[in-house]
Amino acid sequence: KSAADFSILKKVFLYLKKILADNIQKEYRHFYNSRPDLSKKFIYVPLHLQPECNTSPMGGVFVNQILMIKILSASLPEGWVIYVKEHPAQWMNFGLNYTDYRYPGYYRQIARIKNVQLVPIKADSFSLIKQSRAVATVTGMAGWEAVLRRKPALVFGRAWYSDCLGVFKVKS
């Protein structure tokens, strides 16, 4: 149909423009640390897919995951690091487009927080959980996976597993 009505040229042009211009994946790659040091004391923070009920409404004010990361950063002892990883489905659902949840400058804002480093989206989450000192999440499954591996889980929202042993509810 696109070939018949000649709109294919417009679609190809728009696609090439998206690839060559600034996009969400380029911004993330610009700021991530390709080789995080897993021997450091660190907290692992996997970002949530957004929009989703795990952050809104179940996360309350922590629908703003940058707020959660800032609170963690301000609370960490010297020498600790926060490794933040984007949810892989965030890009599958929205492609190269920025959204209301991942706007231009989103990853720059995270990368500028003291003691915070973005890690590659392909980094193995189970290795990050295993090597971490704790996992922080709004309400995500990574918190549950941490509990199952006897790692502390810092939960900022109302997760179904919040009352389990090893879960620390964070409110402020």
Side-chain angles (χ1 to χ4, degrees):
K1 183 180 176 184
S2 295
D5 68 7
F6 297 104
S7 66
I8 193 161
L9 296 174
K10 179 180 178 183
K11 289 177 182 176
V12 168
F13 173 75
L14 291 174
Y15 180 72
L16 289 174
K17 182 179 172 188
K18 241 186 229 188
I19 289 175
L20 299 173
D22 288 341
N23 63 57
I24 194 163
Q25 292 179 25
K26 277 186 183 178
E27 181 177 320
Y28 189 84
R29 283 193 303 269
H30 178 75
F31 289 105
Y32 76 60
N33 176 353
S34 61
R35 294 183 181 227
D37 183 354
L38 300 184
S39 68
K40 288 185 175 185
K41 294 179 182 178
F42 72 92
I43 294 178
Y44 172 47
V45 178
L47 295 176
H48 284 265
L49 171 66
Q50 289 185 300
E52 190 179 62
C53 73
N54 279 345
T55 54
S56 179
M58 294 169 58
V61 68
F62 296 110
V63 66
N64 178 349
Q65 295 179 83
I66 293 175
L67 174 62
M68 173 184 71
I69 296 166
K70 285 180 177 179
I71 289 172
L72 281 171
S73 175
S75 304
L76 280 182
E78 283 298 317
W80 283 59
V81 179
I82 300 169
Y83 289 142
V84 177
K85 179 182 162 191
E86 179 59 277
H87 193 291
Q90 188 70 35
W91 295 347
M92 286 190 300
N93 290 346
F94 302 105
L96 299 173
N97 297 323
Y98 288 102
T99 66
D100 291 343
Y101 289 94
R102 305 290 193 266
Y103 46 83
Y106 186 83
Y107 301 119
R108 175 181 291 114
Q109 194 174 355
I110 290 173
R112 287 184 176 164
I113 300 170
K114 180 183 173 195
N115 303 329
V116 174
Q117 295 179 21
L118 291 164
V119 297
I121 199 164
K122 292 185 179 188
D124 182 52
S125 290
F126 295 119
S127 295
L128 288 165
I129 291 170
K130 182 179 178 181
Q131 299 297 328
S132 71
R133 297 297 175 106
V135 173
T137 182
V138 178
T139 63
M141 285 303 296
W144 176 241
E145 292 164 355
V147 168
L148 293 177
R149 288 166 178 77
R150 296 192 171 129
K151 291 283 180 178
L154 308 171
V155 177
F156 286 74
R158 295 184 301 276
W160 61 269
Y161 55 85
S162 289
D163 293 322
C164 291
L165 187 64
V167 175
F168 298 87
K169 299 177 201 174
V170 180
K171 298 192 188 304
S172 66

